[in-house]
Amino acid sequence: MKSFTVLEGLVAPMDRANVDTDMIIPKQFLKSIKRSGFGPNLFDEMRYLDEGQPGEDCSNRPLNPDFPLNQPRYHGATVLLARENFGCGSSREHAPWALEDYGFRCIIAPSFADIFYNNCFKNGILPVVLPAATVEQLFTALYAQAGYRLEIDLAAQEVRTPAGEVLGFEVDVARKQCLLKGLDDIGVTLESAAHIHKFENRWREQSPWLFNVIGKGQG
Amino acid sequence: MAGLTLYDKLWRNHLVEQREDGSALIYIDRHLIHEVTSPQAFEGLRLAGRKPWRLDANLAVPDHNVPTSREERAGGIAGIRDQVSRLQVQTLDDNCRDFDIVEIPINDVRQGIVHVVGPEQGATLPGMTIVCGDSHTSTHGALGALAHGIGTSEVEHVLATQCLIQQKMKNLLVRVDGALPAGVTAKDVALAIIGRIGTAGGTGYAIEFAGEVIRGLSMEGRMTLCNMSIEAGARMGMIAVDQTTLDYVKGRTYSPSGALWDAAQAAWADLHSDADAVFDKVVTLRGEDIVPQVTWGNSPEMVLPVDGHVPDPQGMDNATQRSAAQRAIEYMGLTPGMAITDIHLDRVFIGSCTNSRIEDLRAAAAVVRGRQVASSIKQALVVPGSGQVKAQAEAEGLHEIFLAAGMEWREPGCSMCLAMNADKLGAGEHCASTSNRNFEGRQGIGGRTHLVSPAMAAAAAIAGHFVDVRTLQESTQ
Ligand code: SF4
């Protein structure tokens, strides 16, 4: 997983409450055998004027000109500014996969759905909760100025605005450490690699019939 | 200190690290892989630039999506008509090649349902920890192993670390004493247990099945029983190692031989619960009380003896039970008080990881021999669990018995168990099925599944409705 330390990036708006996982990535894309490549279908129903099909090349589809991500001033955004209860709905991990694949590394909102919030950390995305009034101010500033950027510093737990404001946020210590180091569950387990090797060597001596029977290591 | 249960011992033997928060790192000996739950796990490895921790711990086989008609099967992967199915099977093939994992390919004689193939090849052995991205991995507990299903993110975790993060379960002993009446099989025992403890009865527990009846079961029967642990709410079910286990395991492709066999056998001698082991819960049944079972509703716990009658929801005190029963009766198109033997069938399915082993096919063939499938039955499918089961059955001439009776003899795979391939129920159709789940729509949208043993399914095919198989068996004797 990618680590997250300090992100300085362009901000895009998702100006509605209760954006659910179906809006983030519609059902028809879940049959895929991949976890990458969902970026072109992020917010598919809002973003395009036609109905998207899995495997379709999105580059020629008619874009919804009113959708912010289709406007040049937001191209290349890595920070998404959102409203209450972002990511509600199913537990599908496809939602953070799609956001990450598109290029978002940080989502700022007054609140998030639980499972989605968790899934973000597993996929290298930092969800930042700020008070509703603060988010409102950020929306105002964002709309007022093209090329609006924010700096998010995870170690310091701060969002810094171009006007020099410093907005503190809370994050669970264990999750913060994992994200700072770029560790997912697998990464955390691999920190115990020495223990696993030690166990494995002893186990191999004790139960040699469990090893090197299947495959190329055979014999 | 009290003695240890079989589960306690298997857990202890594989404990890499106990963590302060109560979770533990458990070492995994065998990881079985199929095409539906693995693609994103491999993709995850690729994206993170990781490699499998230990190649020789893995074995892959496609089963859920493979077509079972001879004609569609003949074309291999390219011949699979459904595009999503073909892509999943192809992706498994590609991933195994890219990552150097051994795969039994679609038309290899060893191919079959992953839970039939593992024990058959000796790839799953006593004393192992065994996982697979499929909930019926509990099947392998029949060998005296710690075996359970996992999700896709855990598949990736096992591939990358050879470990899983686990919480220890509580111990549940299910003891079946006495002896089974003639014509009553492991499937009936499994359904009777679920009828007794309910589909949540095993939640939070590891089940150990014990008692004279269990000791008397063949390995095939034990696998049927452990397979359905998950329908009783338990992620894992297991049975102590005895001579039956050793006889089954010996001589298989991946089983130890020579000096290693002797060492393994010595180690496996400890794979039983100590006499003074303490279980958190004990449930006992008497074998003599168990008769052939039939499920009438949309949960495996909605089960009755074949001589029973569909319950009347009005008579139920519990409101949740009442509404569940009402809904099931409606969905299944039944009437309260109706005799189980008055349920007429449209299709019959003999197969799935629960009941597609050679003993199951023999039991079905014994009922069918010299008889004809009722004219009201649209289709009676027999789908062997693996290519080897199929070959064995053909060597014994079982396929001829099925074909002569008007049944179809298919290529190995999951088939109508979950209707991911072309084998499906139509809306409103009743099916006598030897599989393990009777949920709404499981075998096709609107389909009505009744779970039974292979002998009971065969008897229903002949009669066109449910009958106590023992009446047919008597008349042949
Ligand atoms: S036979 Fe059915 S229950 Fe068994 S693995 Fe296949 S789909 Fe799952």
Side-chain angles (χ1 to χ4, degrees):
Chain A
M1 197 177 75
K2 286 182 199 155
S3 65
F4 189 111
T5 48
V6 180
L7 172 71
E8 198 278 323
L10 187 69
V11 186
M14 175 46 69
D15 199 351
R16 62 192 276 179
N18 302 310
V19 170
D20 64 38
T21 50
D22 244 335
M23 295 182 202
I24 298 174
I25 181 85
K27 277 194 285 297
Q28 67 265 38
F29 302 106
L30 305 186
K31 275 191 184 166
S32 161
I33 48 156
K34 305 250 169 213
R35 79 204 285 165
S36 54
F38 290 104
N41 298 111
L42 176 69
F43 301 125
D44 198 278
E45 280 166 22
M46 295 184 251
R47 191 162 148 199
Y48 301 99
L49 295 171
D50 63 348
E51 197 180 315
Q53 295 305 322
E56 188 184 359
D57 176 9
C58 295
S59 55
N60 295 320
R61 291 174 58 195
L63 295 172
N64 172 5
D66 297 333
F67 188 65
L69 294 188
N70 291 332
Q71 295 161 14
R73 64 182 280 193
Y74 298 120
H75 281 177
T78 53
V79 180
L80 189 67
L81 187 63
R83 297 286 186 183
E84 282 82 5
N85 199 25
F86 188 86
C88 55
S90 85
S91 64
R92 67 183 68 140
E93 239 171 292
H94 300 71
W97 292 345
L99 286 158
E100 205 266 349
D101 193 67
Y102 182 89
F104 287 116
R105 296 298 314 280
C106 176
I107 303 165
I108 300 172
S111 62
F112 290 90
D114 256 1
I115 299 175
F116 175 83
Y117 185 79
N118 267 315
N119 283 342
C120 281
F121 286 97
K122 287 189 185 168
N123 290 283
I125 298 173
L126 174 65
V128 172
V129 178
L130 290 177
T134 311
V135 171
E136 191 59 57
Q137 283 166 16
L138 290 176
F139 267 107
T140 310
L142 165 63
Y143 289 135
Q145 180 194 337
Y148 186 79
R149 301 175 80 87
L150 285 172
E151 187 172 67
I152 297 98
D153 184 336
L154 177 56
Q157 296 181 211
E158 286 172 4
V159 176
R160 297 189 277 264
T161 71
E165 288 163 286
V166 174
L167 313 166
F169 62 88
E170 295 299 315
V171 59
D172 170 84
V173 185
R175 288 197 182 114
K176 174 178 169 178
Q177 287 310 322
C178 284
L179 204 47
L180 280 172
K181 292 193 203 164
L183 294 176
D184 47 15
D185 277 354
I186 294 176
V188 173
T189 297
L190 287 174
E191 298 226 305
S192 299
H195 279 165
I196 303 173
H197 279 299
K198 200 170 137 211
F199 175 91
E200 194 168 60
N201 290 334
R202 185 176 58 74
W203 191 230
R204 191 192 305 264
E205 253 167 56
Q206 220 174 307
S207 321
W209 57 88
L210 298 178
F211 291 80
N212 295 337
V213 180
I214 295 179
K216 303 218 170 93
Q218 189 169 353
Chain B
M1 210 182 86
L4 299 178
T5 65
L6 171 57
Y7 170 63
D8 295 338
K9 291 179 185 181
L10 291 166
W11 174 273
R12 175 201 61 193
N13 290 353
H14 292 87
L15 182 64
V16 174
E17 192 176 286
Q18 181 67 53
R19 299 194 167 152
E20 275 170 23
D21 61 3
S23 68
L25 209 55
I26 295 294
Y27 188 81
I28 302 302
D29 293 315
R30 180 70 70 235
H31 180 210
L32 301 168
I33 301 169
H34 66 89
E35 78 278 21
V36 178
T37 50
S38 64
Q40 269 112 357
F42 282 113
E43 174 85 352
L45 288 186
R46 224 175 250 123
L47 288 174
R50 291 186 172 119
K51 288 208 166 344
W53 178 278
R54 219 190 101 196
L55 291 174
D56 66 306
N58 300 286
L59 182 66
V61 63
D63 57 3
H64 284 63
N65 278 288
V66 299
T68 65
S69 78
R70 178 180 299 208
E71 175 216 358
E72 192 175 345
R73 193 61 171 266
I77 297 178
I80 302 176
R81 292 196 193 109
D82 181 86
Q83 195 188 323
V84 174
S85 296
R86 186 172 65 242
L87 181 62
Q88 286 193 337
V89 177
Q90 182 64 51
T91 304
L92 180 68
D93 229 42
D94 295 345
N95 281 328
C96 288
R97 202 187 40 244
D98 290 357
F99 285 94
D100 249 349
I101 284 171
V102 173
E103 184 202 11
I104 299 175
I106 179 165
N107 283 345
D108 190 297
V109 67
R110 298 166 302 157
Q111 181 273 343
I113 305 170
V114 63
H115 309 309
V116 175
V117 170
E120 191 173 77
Q121 295 302 320
T124 54
L125 292 172
M128 275 183 168
T129 41
I130 301 158
V131 297
C132 172
D134 183 279
S135 60
H136 290 98
T137 309
S138 58
T139 311
H140 309 263
L143 296 148
L146 182 55
H148 59 86
I150 54 177
T152 295
S153 54
E154 288 175 310
V155 169
E156 185 181 342
H157 195 278
V158 171
L159 279 168
T161 70
Q162 213 51 50
C163 289
L164 270 184
I165 301 160
Q166 293 280 286
Q167 306 276 343
K168 190 151 188 257
M169 301 277 149
K170 289 183 284 182
N171 283 288
L172 166 59
L173 177 67
V174 175
R175 213 177 59 222
V176 190
D177 298 323
L180 292 179
V184 177
T185 68
K187 181 64 163 285
D188 302 304
V189 176
L191 288 171
I193 291 169
I194 295 163
R196 170 78 166 279
I197 69 174
T199 48
T203 306
Y205 292 93
I207 302 183
E208 179 176 344
F209 298 101
E212 277 168 81
V213 163
I214 310 301
R215 294 263 74 87
L217 292 177
S218 65
M219 278 318 290
E220 283 86 353
R222 294 178 186 187
M223 287 189 232
T224 300
L225 185 58
C226 289
N227 173 277
M228 292 197 72
S229 305
I230 187 73
E231 272 67 48
R235 287 178 70 207
M236 52 198 101
M238 60 200 79
I239 295 173
V241 172
D242 63 6
Q243 195 57 42
T244 305
T245 324
L246 298 177
D247 292 344
Y248 177 89
V249 169
K250 195 164 190 179
R252 295 187 182 266
T253 310
Y254 297 126
S255 296
S257 56
L260 275 185
W261 171 261
D262 296 337
Q265 208 183 337
W268 297 341
D270 187 44
L271 295 176
H272 56 81
S273 290
D274 294 331
D276 57 344
V278 178
F279 288 84
D280 300 285
K281 192 159 100 178
V282 179
V283 174
T284 54
L285 282 81
R286 271 168 38 92
E288 288 79 3
D289 296 342
I290 302 175
V291 298
Q293 307 276 308
V294 179
T295 68
W296 56 269
N298 299 114
S299 160
E301 70 184 19
M302 294 175 167
V303 64
L304 285 168
V306 62
D307 56 2
H309 294 80
V310 175
D312 186 350
Q314 298 311 326
M316 296 180 177
D317 307 331
N318 180 312
T320 338
Q321 253 178 18
R322 195 179 326 129
S323 67
Q326 213 138 29
R327 186 182 161 93
I329 283 173
E330 249 166 66
Y331 179 86
M332 296 297 288
L334 305 171
T335 46
M338 176 179 182
I340 292 291
T341 48
D342 283 340
I343 298 175
H344 287 257
L345 286 318
D346 300 286
R347 291 178 202 265
V348 172
F349 170 58
I350 298 173
S352 89
C353 58
T354 314
N355 281 128
S356 63
R357 298 178 181 81
I358 189 67
E359 180 185 279
D360 301 314
L361 302 189
R362 286 181 190 141
V367 173
V368 168
R369 178 171 295 144
R371 296 192 168 103
Q372 282 299 313
V373 171
S375 58
S376 56
I377 301 282
K378 294 178 199 157
Q379 184 183 42
L381 276 184
V382 186
V383 188
S386 73
Q388 290 198 351
V389 169
K390 181 169 183 255
Q392 174 70 31
E394 290 180 351
E396 296 178 18
L398 303 185
H399 65 309
E400 276 156 13
I401 297 172
F402 295 127
L403 289 168
M407 296 175 139
E408 295 176 34
W409 178 242
R410 293 297 190 94
E411 301 298 312
C414 293
S415 183
M416 204 191 268
C417 177
L418 86 169
M420 262 189 105
N421 66 2
D423 312 330
K424 288 185 176 71
L425 295 184
E429 289 182 343
H430 286 269
C431 178
S433 177
T434 66
S435 55
N436 44 52
R437 286 186 175 154
N438 52 357
F439 304 153
E440 288 183 19
R442 167 81 176 183
Q443 294 187 292
I445 296 161
R448 295 161 169 170
T449 304
H450 301 275
L451 303 176
V452 287
S453 74
M456 282 289 288
I462 303 302
H465 56 88
F466 285 116
V467 286
D468 188 335
V469 63
R470 294 175 297 181
T471 59
L472 287 183
Q473 284 166 337
E474 272 155 25
S475 68
T476 49
Q477 276 161 13

